[in-house]
Amino acid sequence: MTETISLIAIGLLVLFELVVLTGIFFFFTRFRRSEALLTTLQGNQDALLARIEMNARLEREIVASFAQRQAELRNLDEKLEERAKELRRLLQQAEEIRRSPQFLREIILNGRRKGLSSQQIAKNAGLGVDEVELILTQSAGDE
C-alpha cells in the first residue's frame, strides 16, 4: 500500500511537473510574441518620430520661406508706392505744363503752321474756338 501511495504520489508529482512545464512553455511562447510585437512597435515609433522630425523641419523651412516672401512683398509694396507717388507728381507736373498759357500758345501756333483749322486746333488743345482765334489774332499782331 505504501508502494501504491508512493506510485500515486510520484504520478501526481510528474503530472504536476508536466502541467507546470506546459504553463512555462505557454508563458515563454506568449512572451516571445509580445517581445516581437514590442520590437515592431518600437521600430514603428522610431519611423514615426523620424517622419515627425522631417515634417517639423519642412514646416520650419516653409515658415522661413513665407517670412522671406512677406519681407519681399513689403519691399515691393514700398517701391510700388514710391513709384506711384513719383508718377502722380509727374502727372501733376505734366498737367500744369499742359495748362500753361505759353504751352497752349505753342500748340495753337504749331497747329496753324500744320494748316489745321481753328476748330481742329481748339479740339486738340481742349479750348474753345474763340480762345484759339484770340491767341491766333494776338500772335499775328506780335509778328
Side-chain angles (χ1 to χ4, degrees), residues 28-53:
F28 277 116
T29 304
R30 293 209 31 144
F31 180 73
R32 291 230 184 243
R33 273 193 246 147
S34 297
E35 189 176 31
L37 181 62
L38 184 61
T39 303
T40 304
L41 287 174
Q42 284 176 337
N44 290 343
Q45 182 182 18
D46 291 340
L48 179 65
L49 287 174
R51 277 188 261 141
I52 288 172
E53 185 177 324

Side-chain angles (χ1 to χ4, degrees), residues 45 74 120 133:
Q45 182 182 18
R74 269 187 249 110
Q120 290 172 326
E133 294 285 336

